[in-house]
Amino acid sequence: MNLGRRFLRGGIWAFLAQVTVVPFGLMSNGLLARMFSPAELGMYFIAISLASTGALIAQFGMAQSIVRLVAENLDRPLVAGQAIKIALIVGGTGSAVVAASLSAGLGDVLSRVVFESENLRPVIGLVGALIIAMTLRNLVAQSLRGFHDIRMAELTGRVISSSLFVCAYTYLWTAEVDLDLSTVLLIIIGGTAVSLFIGVVSLVGKVGEWPQEGEPGLGKVLSISKPFWVSSIFLSLLTIGPLWIVGTLGNEGDVAIYGACSRLVILILLPLVIVNQVTPPMIVELYGRRDFDQLEKLLRSIATVAGIPALIVLCLFMFFSEAILAVIFGSYYALGGGVLAIL
């Protein structure tokens, strides 16, 4: 399949996935906002941010490097399989260490000293379990992306779990169930585990026989992954850091308002996220072939495709921020209209 057709097919799947995941994510947050008090929703945002950060640390940049390693070795399945095996072992071990650190005392320090909240301490163990599930799920999904299977990468990445979350929250809301943070985290862990299982089944079919040893070695995989790890942590701090600052300096209600606004800002980045789901394996392939003319055309088209829709969403947020927040999260969250316009 030529590059243009592959980009189009992958772009369609990435687009369908994101236009499913993002609305479902907003629906999930909107339902939780109606079942939780602002303080409870704020603590939910903190718990999810801790799990996301922990998973990012545990992956050691391999969610990015595995795409490159697999895409470069599509004609050598044993090499691709060895890279995937190393990524899963390192990710599984790293996530277990991070989860154990939270349970051993780090989570208590974050609860009491950083966020000054007693509501976070009882769910630290569940946050650790979610870190493990998210880490392995992400690595499996990115391995599938390296095989150019954008469809399964997107489905196992977030589409399946997001769909399960919406169904679960809708049922709990209509049944008027008294919900707490522990129950929500259990739902998220369960949905993530289902996505992980489906991803593993699909990945095993692509790899075939898993190698016992060979290239690439652990040192090579880690050296490739380290720059991705450092840059991804800094980028994560730019997005999650402000939420933690609000959690440290403000109250849980302030965190809820800021968290709601930050969820909506994702819509501005949606076009760029879509193209970023498709292009990394193609960029690796073109660079490996030294086809710089085609690579330049691809990057120019990415900028055009991503820029125009983002500008439209930005204008809507600037002029109708309070109304948008009230519709999605409830009237209380219209207080964050100014925050959303600034973000």
Side-chain angles (χ1 to χ4, degrees):
M1 183 182 299
N2 63 43
L3 184 67
R5 291 182 60 188
R6 193 191 307 163
F7 179 78
L8 178 61
R9 188 178 72 169
I12 291 173
W13 277 111
F15 174 78
L16 291 175
Q18 293 301 322
V19 298
T20 301
V21 168
V22 173
F24 277 12
L26 291 176
M27 288 174 62
S28 294
N29 289 320
L31 288 168
L32 289 176
R34 286 161 173 77
M35 291 186 285
F36 278 166
S37 68
E40 291 172 325
L41 186 65
M43 196 45 52
Y44 161 78
F45 287 142
I46 291 292
I48 294 301
S49 69
L50 284 175
S52 300
T53 304
L56 191 64
I57 294 172
Q59 290 168 28
F60 201 79
M62 292 191 179
Q64 293 83 13
S65 64
I66 197 63
V67 177
R68 169 184 167 181
L69 290 167
V70 173
E72 287 179 340
N73 295 285
L74 290 176
D75 56 341
R76 296 187 293 173
L78 289 179
V79 176
Q82 175 69 5
I84 294 171
K85 184 175 75 171
I86 290 174
L88 292 176
I89 291 174
V90 172
T93 304
S95 60
V97 170
V98 174
S101 299
L102 286 175
S103 298
L106 179 59
D108 187 61
V109 171
L110 291 173
S111 302
R112 291 187 298 103
V113 179
V114 179
F115 301 115
E116 298 181 353
S117 173
E118 294 297 322
N119 296 324
L120 185 61
R121 296 175 65 186
V123 299
I124 284 297
L126 293 176
V127 172
L130 182 56
I131 288 172
I132 296 174
M134 290 175 65
T135 298
L136 296 176
R137 189 272 311 270
N138 293 344
L139 291 174
V140 168
Q142 293 305 101
S143 298
L144 291 167
R145 195 179 308 282
F147 282 110
H148 298 298
D149 192 347
I150 306 299
R151 177 176 65 91
M152 286 307 301
E154 294 294 347
L155 287 174
T156 58
R158 288 183 63 189
V159 172
I160 293 173
S161 56
S162 296
S163 304
L164 293 174
F165 299 157
V166 168
C167 292
Y169 299 153
T170 300
Y171 168 76
L172 294 172
W173 182 52
T174 55
E176 298 183 352
V177 174
D178 188 15
L179 196 63
D180 58 25
L181 183 56
S182 297
T183 303
V184 171
L185 290 177
L186 285 172
I187 291 172
I188 296 174
I189 292 169
T192 305
V194 171
S195 296
L196 172 61
F197 175 77
I198 296 173
V200 168
V201 171
S202 179
L203 188 60
V204 168
K206 293 182 179 298
V207 175
E209 180 182 357
W210 289 87
Q212 298 300 315
E213 58 184 9
E215 291 293 330
L218 176 60
K220 179 179 179 180
V221 175
L222 291 177
S223 65
I224 294 173
S225 304
K226 185 176 179 180
F228 291 114
W229 185 59
V230 174
S231 63
S232 62
I233 288 178
F234 276 106
L235 289 174
S236 176
L237 290 176
L238 290 176
T239 55
I240 295 178
L243 180 70
W244 290 2
I245 292 174
V246 174
T248 302
L249 301 179
N251 55 45
E252 293 168 343
D254 296 331
V255 175
I257 291 176
Y258 183 86
C261 294
S262 64
R263 294 302 190 274
L264 285 174
V265 171
I266 295 175
L267 291 173
I268 299 176
L269 303 176
L270 179 60
L272 183 60
V273 170
I274 291 174
V275 296
N276 281 342
Q277 302 302 311
V278 183
T279 54
M282 300 177 188
I283 293 174
V284 170
E285 183 178 338
L286 290 174
Y287 185 82
R289 298 199 320 239
R290 297 296 189 267
D291 190 352
F292 297 116
D293 290 338
Q294 190 68 25
L295 180 58
E296 182 180 356
K297 292 179 181 179
L298 176 65
L299 295 176
R300 285 180 177 176
S301 65
I302 290 173
T304 302
V305 169
I308 297 175
L311 182 61
I312 295 173
V313 176
L314 177 62
C315 292
L316 290 175
F317 285 170
M318 290 181 64
F319 295 105
F320 305 103
S321 56
E322 293 184 2
I324 293 172
L325 282 166
V327 169
I328 296 177
F329 295 99
S331 57
Y332 173 83
Y333 296 89
L335 295 172
V339 176
L340 179 59
I342 294 173
L343 292 176

